[in-house]
Amino acid sequence: MTMALLWIGTSWKMNKTLGEGLAYAETLLRALPSVNHRLQPFIAPPFTLLREVKQALSGSAVKVGAQNMHWQDAGAWTGEISPLMLADCGADFVELGHYERRRYFGETNHTVSLKTAAAVRHGIRPLVCVGETLAEREAGRAEDVLREQVSTALRGVGSRAQAVGIMFAYEPIWAIGESGSPADPNYADRQHTLIKRISKEILSTEVSVLYGGSVNMDNSSELINMKNIDGLFIGRSAWDAGDYIDLMGKVSDSIR
């Protein structure tokens, strides 16, 4: 039986010039021969670097994607990037609905749904970020929040969803950022189980769910060995290429 790949990757967020991004890609390329074949590396550079970083990693196992996109193919949407533009750059996936986008740029479950459907329509794998706040968790509302986020995101995906391979990243809001505290692996695993169950109710197939939220060298091994965690979406712990490679090595050594 073929074992599913474990997705291990990072978003660079608003970091790196072109030269810095290409240097990162070159370092990663040199290390790839030693990366466990069970791991699926992926990175999400800023849009200004996307085409060049994708070209630099062309022919390798690394998936390269974007951090956001608009739901329309074209139009008077100043400053926005369309799915057609991402496809033109060769994007393998697109990150959607990150909490920073929701909090600071007004994204809602509805707009994330529109973007998810647009990504699927254009054959770009959506990586949809979901997660509850600390207040919602303490009020016992985490399950309700995740059900609303997941079900709304999948509302308009249609029949192509399975072919494209929608993924979710469970990123509890209290676990992300410089001041975040990582989720207990057992708690994270339960939330992943929930996300998979909700997705299967809608799509009739199970989706992959990655964990994101203060992932580091100390907790990566325990997280990746949880039954329902299909990969890790890493933040600042992987912004340095050497650190990212070391983290993949740690995961590789620990997977059962």
Side-chain angles (χ1 to χ4, degrees):
M1 183 176 72
T2 302
M3 301 194 76
L5 292 174
L6 298 169
W7 287 68
I8 311 292
T10 184
S11 167
W12 294 350
K13 303 201 176 186
M14 197 178 71
N15 294 290
K16 302 190 187 304
T17 62
L18 178 58
E20 291 168 340
L22 291 177
Y24 187 112
E26 289 167 9
T27 301
L28 184 54
L29 271 177
R30 290 195 296 270
L32 282 178
S34 63
V35 171
N36 190 311
H37 68 278
R38 283 195 60 198
L39 304 187
Q40 174 58 71
F42 70 96
I43 55 176
F47 182 69
T48 53
L49 283 63
L50 179 58
R51 186 185 302 274
E52 289 84 354
V53 170
K54 173 64 179 178
Q55 289 174 346
L57 293 167
S58 176
S60 78
V62 183
K63 301 294 186 184
V64 181
Q67 299 176 23
N68 184 38
M69 70 169 204
H70 200 273
W71 59 84
Q72 291 284 359
D73 291 355
W77 301 95
T78 303
E80 290 290 323
I81 304 299
S82 77
L84 288 176
M85 295 171 183
L86 295 191
D88 186 58
C89 289
D92 298 303
F93 70 93
V94 59
E95 176 187 2
L96 299 173
H98 191 278
Y99 173 64
E100 291 158 359
R101 299 294 314 173
R102 295 175 189 256
R103 178 179 180 184
Y104 299 113
F105 300 100
E107 294 203 10
T108 65
N109 289 339
H110 175 64
T111 57
V112 171
S113 175
L114 294 175
K115 293 180 180 189
T116 303
V120 169
R121 189 167 64 248
H122 288 280
I124 302 171
R125 182 193 300 265
L127 175 56
V128 184
C129 300
V130 296
E132 79 281 3
T133 66
L134 180 60
E136 288 165 341
R137 186 190 75 176
E138 291 179 340
R141 296 191 57 244
E143 180 171 340
D144 292 339
V145 169
L146 289 175
R147 178 170 290 280
E148 177 65 19
Q149 290 176 339
V150 172
S151 60
T152 305
L154 297 177
R155 183 177 293 159
V157 296
S159 59
R160 291 198 61 198
Q162 188 169 353
V164 172
I166 292 174
M167 298 196 303
F168 284 91
Y170 172 59
E171 296 195 321
I173 294 162
W174 41 271
I176 63 177
E178 287 185 87
S179 59
S181 300
D184 174 81
N186 289 296
Y187 178 86
D189 193 67
R190 289 196 300 273
Q191 303 305 75
H192 280 230
T193 303
L194 172 65
I195 293 166
K196 290 183 178 188
R197 187 171 73 244
I198 297 166
S199 301
K200 193 167 186 178
E201 290 170 2
I202 299 167
L203 300 177
S204 299
T205 187
E206 199 167 86
V207 300
S208 293
V209 185
L210 317 185
Y211 173 77
S214 298
V215 177
N216 55 49
M217 289 289 284
D218 295 330
N219 61 20
S220 58
S221 296
E222 190 175 5
L223 285 164
I224 202 61
N225 280 297
M226 301 307 293
K227 181 180 179 181
N228 291 290
I229 294 181
D230 303 309
L232 303 173
F233 196 15
I234 311 158
R236 63 193 69 249
S237 294
W239 287 351
D240 176 85
D243 291 342
Y244 177 38
I245 293 162
D246 289 346
L247 212 153
M248 283 196 288
K250 182 74 177 288
V251 168
S252 176
D253 290 342
S254 70
I255 54 179
R256 298 189 286 265

